[in-house]
Amino acid sequence: MDERMMPPVDDDASYSPSILIVDDSSVNRKVMSFILQSAYDRLHTVDDGQQCLDALNQTPFDLVLLDLNMPAKNGFEVLQTVRATATPKSDSGRHTPAFIVVSADNNPDTISRALQLGAADYVTTPFNRDELLARVKTHLALRSREQDLEARVQQRTSELEATNQALQKAQNQLIQAEKMVSLGQLSAGIAHEINNPIGYILSNLDSLQDYMQDVVKLIGQYQQAEPYISDASARKQLQNLQDSINVPFLKEDVQQLITDSLSGARQVKQIIADLKVFAHHPQNRQWEKVSLESCIRSVLNMIKNEIKYKAEIHLDLEAALPSIDGVTTQIYQVMTNLLVNAAQAIPVDRHGDVFIQTRNLQPAEDAIEISIRDTGTGMDDDVLSKIFDPFFTTKEVGQGTGLGLSVSYGFIEAHHGRIEVHSEPGRGSHFVVTLPISQH
C-alpha cells in the first residue's frame, strides 16, 4: 500500500475527486498512478480486493480502477460485495463510487459479467494513456453531475416536505375556521330561538321570588295573629291547615326551588351567550386593557372550591407583565375554562398539581404567553384532535356541553392569538395560550 499517495480528505467547496487504484501488480499500479497524477492529486493504491473493501469503508472515493484477478478477493467478489451492501447514501453523504474494470481479460462473457455486477466501464490492457484519461474524466464528470442532481433532488424534496407541512397546517386552520363559521350560523339560530323563552322564565322566576317573599310575610302575620282569633273553631281550622301543609318546610323549600331554578336558567343563559360569540366578532364588544395577572388571580378565587380539593396550584407569574388589548369577559372565560378543565382532568382518587406560568415574549414577539399544565389523566391523539370541536366532550352526559374549549378557541382566535395543547395519556395536559399585547 502506497501511503504517500493518500492525501487528506477535503470536504470544502473545492473538493477534488479521489481515485482508488486496485491491482495486485505493482507495475500496473505505478503505471496508472503515473498517468493519472498529471490530472488528479488524490490517488490511493491497494494490492488486493479485501484491502479495496477496507479502504472503501474508510474513505469516500469517487472512482475505483479495479483489476479482476487478485488474491484475497478478486474483482468480481469486490463488485458483488459493494453491490450487496450499497445504500442510497452513505454516512458521509456520498454515493457508492463508480468502478472502471482494468483487466487483460477481453473475453466478452467476462466483460458482460463485470458490467452486470455494477461496473460503469471496462478497459482492457494494454491501454492507451489518452484513452484511460478520457474514460476516467468522463466517469468523474458523470459522477459529479449525478451528485449535483442528487443534491438538487434532496433540496427539492426538503422544500416539498416543508411546503406540504405548511399546506397541511393551512388546511387544518381552514377546516377549523369553517367549523367556526358553521357553528356561528348554527349558534345564531339556536340562541335566537332559546333566548326569548329563557328570558320569560328568568323574568317570571324573579317575579315569583318577590311574590313568595310577600306570601311568606303574610303567613308570618297570620301565625302571629292566631292567638288573637276569638273563634275557637276558626283557630282550629287555621292550625290544622298549617299542620297539613307544613309551613316551616314550605317556606324553606319554595325559596330553594326558586333559587335552583334561577341558577339553572342563568346557566342556560350563559350557554346562549357562549353560542352568540361564534356569530359576533369581539370587535363588537368593548375592547380595553386587561391585566392577565389580575385575571388569573380573580379566576382562581372564583373557582377555588372547584380546585382546592383536587389539586395544588403552583403560580409562576412574571412580574410587571404589560396589560393586553382584549375583551375582559372573554379573557376571563378562557382562563376559567382552562383552569376548570385542568382540575377536572385529575382523577377523583388522588390529589394532583396545576402549574400556571406567564411569560413576556418581547422583544422576540409582541405577545404574552400563558402556560397551564396539569398532572391529570391526559389525552390520546384521537381525543386531542377533537377537543376544539364544538359540542365534543369526554365528560358524562349532563356534566358538560362540549362548548368550553370551542368557545375558548374562538375567543383566542378573535384576539389574533393562538392556543396549543400537548398531552399524553397518564402524563397530563399542557395548554399554551399566546395573546398579542396590542391589537393595532
Side-chain angles (χ1 to χ4, degrees), residues 27 53 92 95 102 107 124 143 198 257 287 306 315 326 346 353 368 373 425 436:
V27 174
L53 294 174
S92 65
H95 284 278
V102 182
N107 186 307
T124 57
R143 175 176 170 75
I198 204 66
L257 290 174
W287 288 83
E306 181 77 28
L315 281 177
I346 296 170
D353 296 278
I368 303 296
R373 180 171 61 87

Side-chain angles (χ1 to χ4, degrees), residues 81-93:
T81 302
V82 171
R83 182 176 182 178
T85 58
T87 57
K89 216 165 193 186
S90 66
D91 294 338
S92 65

Side-chain angles (χ1 to χ4, degrees), residues 251-306:
K251 288 162 63 177
E252 180 181 346
D253 196 47
V254 166
Q255 289 298 329
Q256 188 62 48
L257 290 174
I258 294 175
T259 299
D260 291 345
S261 298
L262 282 169
S263 176
R266 290 190 180 107
Q267 288 179 18
V268 175
K269 191 80 172 176
Q270 183 60 52
I271 292 173
I272 294 170
D274 292 344
L275 289 170
K276 282 184 174 181
V277 170
F278 296 102
H280 302 283
H281 195 276
Q283 287 182 350
N284 299 327
R285 304 290 184 91
Q286 183 179 355
W287 288 83
E288 55 193 350
K289 291 294 182 181
V290 181
S291 168
L292 290 174
E293 180 178 352
S294 297
C295 169
I296 291 171
R297 293 188 184 278
S298 296
V299 169
L300 286 173
N301 187 54
M302 287 188 296
I303 64 172
K304 60 183 178 182
N305 287 333
E306 181 77 28

Side-chain angles (χ1 to χ4, degrees), residues 120-275:
D121 204 348
Y122 195 105
V123 177
T124 57
T125 58
F127 48 76
N128 178 275
R129 173 185 179 278
D130 293 334
E131 178 189 3
L132 180 64
L133 282 172
R135 295 202 184 196
V136 168
K137 182 179 179 180
T138 297
H139 286 289
L140 285 174
L142 289 173
R143 175 176 170 75
S144 177
R145 291 178 185 176
E146 178 188 0
Q147 287 180 309
D148 181 60
L149 286 173
E150 289 288 349
R152 292 186 183 186
V153 168
Q154 185 179 9
Q155 180 182 1
R156 184 59 177 160
T157 300
S158 299
E159 292 173 354
L160 288 173
E161 288 176 350
T163 301
N164 185 49
Q165 291 176 355
L167 287 173
Q168 287 181 339
K169 183 177 180 181
Q171 183 183 32
N172 291 337
Q173 291 174 340
L174 287 172
I175 291 172
Q176 185 65 39
E178 184 64 26
K179 288 178 181 177
M180 302 306 290
V181 170
S182 299
L183 181 61
Q185 297 170 348
L186 173 65
S187 301
I190 294 176
H192 178 73
E193 293 299 325
I194 297 178
N195 202 41
N196 286 338
I198 204 66
Y200 300 151
I201 293 172
L202 279 170
S203 177
N204 292 343
L205 284 172
D206 284 331
S207 298
L208 181 59
Q209 190 172 41
D210 293 337
Y211 295 158
M212 285 305 303
Q213 289 174 355
D214 293 338
V215 170
V216 168
K217 289 179 182 178
L218 180 60
I219 292 174
Q221 290 296 322
Y222 274 122
Q223 287 177 321
Q224 292 177 7
E226 180 186 350
Y228 302 101
I229 298 175
S230 58
D231 187 337
S233 176
R235 215 172 34 248
K236 181 63 174 175
Q237 288 179 355
L238 181 59
Q239 183 62 48
N240 291 339
L241 180 60
Q242 290 183 21
D243 293 341
S244 66
I245 64 176
N246 195 349
V247 171
F249 172 78
L250 181 66
K251 288 162 63 177
E252 180 181 346
D253 196 47
V254 166
Q255 289 298 329
Q256 188 62 48
L257 290 174
I258 294 175
T259 299
D260 291 345
S261 298
L262 282 169
S263 176
R266 290 190 180 107
Q267 288 179 18
V268 175
K269 191 80 172 176
Q270 183 60 52
I271 292 173
I272 294 170
D274 292 344
L275 289 170

Side-chain angles (χ1 to χ4, degrees), residues 61-103:
F61 290 100
D62 297 291
L63 181 68
V64 178
L65 298 176
L66 180 67
D67 184 25
L68 290 180
N69 298 315
M70 297 180 295
K73 282 186 180 291
N74 61 40
F76 292 122
E77 291 174 316
V78 170
L79 290 172
Q80 288 174 331
T81 302
V82 171
R83 182 176 182 178
T85 58
T87 57
K89 216 165 193 186
S90 66
D91 294 338
S92 65
R94 296 185 178 88
H95 284 278
T96 303
F99 284 85
I100 298 178
V101 172
V102 182
S103 174

